[in-house]
Amino acid sequence: MRAYHVQSAGADPVLGDRPVPQPGAGELRLRIGACGLNFADLLMTTGDYQDTPEAPFTLGMEVAGTVDALGPGVDGPAIGTRVAVFGGQGGLAEMGCFPAQRAVRLPDSMSDVDAAAFQIAYGTSHVALSHTARLQPGETLLVLGAAGGVGLTAVEIGKLMGARVIACARGSDKLAVAKQAGADHVIDARTEDIRGVCKSLGGVDVVYDPVGGEQFDAAFRATNPEGRLLTIGFASGTVPQIKANHLLVKNLSVMGLYWGGLLKVRPSVVTDSLATLMDWYVAGKIKPHVSHVLPLDQAADALDLLRNRKSTGKVVVTP
């Protein structure tokens, strides 16, 4: 089979032939139909992600496909069942083995492309906004990086939860995508003063931040008393440094959310969230925005779309 593989630590990933994997205890094997890319895949190529696997490994954190084989001790899902799996690695390949307990059965109405674009982006935003920040109807939500993979779902879910949503992104094209997802107000991060615009709109109660850097600093200063700031990631490359006395003065809370980490310590939070999200999808309330679908032999180009910020929503590779 073909796979986009990292052979040794620090080496560039290469598309090549690999042996078809055999499922071990607790695993199932998928014939992969689609793999959703995430910013973390880029970090793995340089070893900078907190959960970078030891080399050798195949990139691709989340997949959708059809169960092809079951490992020892696994009694389901049955061979031929369509599922999505967050495996953390192994998705940029024609076949892969993943933990069976993480397999989520797909409704007939959900394509492999939608399923591969679904779990991390929607799961992160739903858990962050509902479980961690406890966003309330009528509150004002500021979403940074609002046209990206997780940011766009935060706009969509925040609006579904009854918030007034301010979306911040770079350029008119990306702002138009955020507006279409339900944003009430938009801010161009290239040309506008984030703090000034937010303050003119009455300040913000919850900040959803996958960007970090200067944008976090501006959002921090625009947050209302008793506001909550969600740190989701640092796409800017700069991790903000927070002065604790500023938290005290305005009674602010800064909360981190690592969706994959919750699978290890509070898996029920993730599974309950995914059940809600699947119901919303079937009901037509949410729909993944996939700007690019590329074949496996263009996996490097697909990652470059993320690296160069040329995509909106998700990029999906179809082995």
Side-chain angles (χ1 to χ4, degrees), residues 2-4 32-37 41 57-64 85 87-98 296 317-319:
R2 295 183 307 156
Y4 196 58
I32 298 171
C35 174
L37 297 188
D41 290 306
F57 68 94
T58 295
L59 287 170
M61 301 178 69
E62 59 180 332
V63 299
V85 182
Q89 60 172 302
L92 286 176
E94 293 174 327
M95 303 183 77
C97 295
F98 307 98
L296 184 58
V317 172
T318 53

Side-chain angles (χ1 to χ4, degrees), residues 155-189:
V155 172
E156 198 174 359
I157 290 173
K159 193 63 181 175
L160 269 175
M161 294 177 66
R164 180 179 66 153
V165 180
I166 304 171
C168 180
R170 292 180 177 272
S172 59
D173 290 347
K174 292 187 175 182
L175 291 175
V177 171
K179 193 76 174 177
Q180 188 174 8
D184 298 288
H185 305 277
V186 294
I187 301 172
D188 191 332

Side-chain angles (χ1 to χ4, degrees), residues 191-207:
T191 60
E192 295 186 86
D193 174 13
I194 295 172
R195 176 177 179 264
V197 174
C198 289
K199 294 292 280 186
S200 73
L201 293 170
V204 299
D205 303 303
V206 175
V207 176

Side-chain angles (χ1 to χ4, degrees), residues 17-314:
D17 290 328
R18 303 288 303 172
V20 174
Q22 300 302 314
E27 292 184 332
L28 53 75
R29 186 173 67 198
L30 288 187
R31 186 172 298 280
I32 298 171
C35 174
L37 297 188
N38 295 274
F39 190 76
D41 290 306
L42 287 177
L43 297 178
M44 283 188 190
T45 65
T46 58
D48 292 326
Y49 187 58
Q50 62 263 27
D51 271 350
T52 300
E54 289 188 17
F57 68 94
T58 295
L59 287 170
M61 301 178 69
E62 59 180 332
V63 299
T66 303
V67 178
D68 171 78
L70 301 175
V74 179
D75 57 8
I79 292 173
T81 304
R82 294 179 59 246
V83 300
V85 182
F86 168 74
Q89 60 172 302
L92 286 176
E94 293 174 327
M95 303 183 77
C97 295
F98 307 98
Q101 65 179 4
R102 292 189 181 181
V104 178
R105 297 171 191 263
L106 300 180
D108 292 340
S109 60
M110 180 178 274
S111 68
D112 284 349
V113 169
D114 275 3
F118 194 83
Q119 287 195 87
I120 293 177
Y122 278 111
T124 296
S125 293
H126 184 250
V127 170
L129 294 176
S130 65
H131 171 76
T132 305
R134 303 194 181 279
L135 179 68
Q136 299 299 308
E139 289 190 312
T140 297
L141 167 67
L142 170 64
V143 179
L144 304 178
V150 291
L152 198 58
T153 62
V155 172
E156 198 174 359
I157 290 173
K159 193 63 181 175
L160 269 175
M161 294 177 66
R164 180 179 66 153
V165 180
I166 304 171
C168 180
R170 292 180 177 272
S172 59
D173 290 347
K174 292 187 175 182
L175 291 175
V177 171
K179 193 76 174 177
Q180 188 174 8
D184 298 288
H185 305 277
V186 294
I187 301 172
D188 191 332
R190 289 177 175 173
T191 60
E192 295 186 86
D193 174 13
I194 295 172
R195 176 177 179 264
V197 174
C198 289
K199 294 292 280 186
S200 73
L201 293 170
V204 299
D205 303 303
V206 175
V207 176
Y208 182 98
D209 178 23
V211 177
E214 293 180 355
Q215 291 191 33
F216 175 92
D217 295 339
F220 187 94
R221 297 172 67 198
T223 304
N224 291 328
E226 297 191 318
R228 291 90 75 202
L229 297 97
L230 290 157
T231 58
I232 306 298
F234 313 104
S236 68
T238 301
V239 178
Q241 304 301 304
I242 302 164
K243 294 183 177 181
N245 60 317
H246 292 183
L247 298 176
L248 181 151
V249 170
K250 292 174 69 176
N251 291 296
L252 301 180
S253 300
V254 179
M255 309 169 178
L257 191 281
Y258 170 37
W259 184 83
L262 276 179
L263 277 170
K264 302 173 184 178
V265 297
R266 292 285 302 281
S268 63
V269 172
V270 174
T271 54
D272 289 350
S273 169
L274 285 175
T276 296
L277 291 166
M278 283 293 182
D279 287 344
W280 285 356
Y281 179 91
V282 172
K285 295 180 178 180
I286 55 176
K287 170 71 173 176
H289 175 90
V290 179
S291 64
H292 297 80
V293 180
L294 285 79
L296 184 58
D297 58 9
Q298 294 181 34
D301 296 331
L303 286 170
D304 280 341
L305 289 169
L306 297 185
R307 184 179 291 109
N308 298 321
R309 306 179 191 276
K310 292 184 177 180
S311 60
T312 54
K314 295 286 283 192

